Amino acid sequence: CHSGPPLTIEWKHCDTKRFSVDEFEYNRPTRKSKEEMQLNWIERKRILRAAGTQDEEMREVIQEIQLLQKQRAKQNQPKTSILHRLFRRKSSKSTKTTTQPSHTTQWVR
């Protein structure tokens, strides 16, 4: 979910009839598309309220998720190693700045 409170799925085990994979595949309903499986934040909030979840609890969870997303985004940023930064600094000092291109590029169709 990109916005709003997340839903948690839980279930209780119940005894069911056993059948083969082929039988299951033959009898199973048509699979839903990704769009059909997604709920917008209003639908999720309605479901959670119906289950007895308070608005304050939803706000707290949303804040926790936003914090985790920020931390994850920060961790996924490319990190520049100390050696790479030193090499870049050293090489920029030793090269001359020029206005002439060092090579030409030809586009071929």
Side-chain angles (χ1 to χ4, degrees), residues 8-23:
T8 302
I9 300 174
E10 64 179 87
W11 61 87
K12 294 182 181 176
H13 172 75
C14 60
D15 292 325
T16 58
K17 176 186 162 198
R18 291 180 180 232
F19 44 88
S20 71
V21 173
D22 291 334
E23 187 179 354

Side-chain angles (χ1 to χ4, degrees), residues 52-68:
T53 305
Q54 301 297 316
D55 286 349
E56 181 60 31
E57 191 177 357
M58 286 187 241
R59 275 191 291 277
E60 289 172 4
V61 171
I62 290 169
Q63 288 174 346
E64 287 177 34
I65 289 170
Q66 289 171 341
L67 178 65
L68 290 171

Side-chain angles (χ1 to χ4, degrees), residues 63-79:
Q63 288 174 346
E64 287 177 34
I65 289 170
Q66 289 171 341
L67 178 65
L68 290 171
Q69 288 171 337
K70 285 179 185 177
Q71 290 172 346
R72 194 174 306 132
K74 192 174 183 178
Q75 289 174 351
N76 289 335
Q77 289 178 349
K79 294 178 178 69

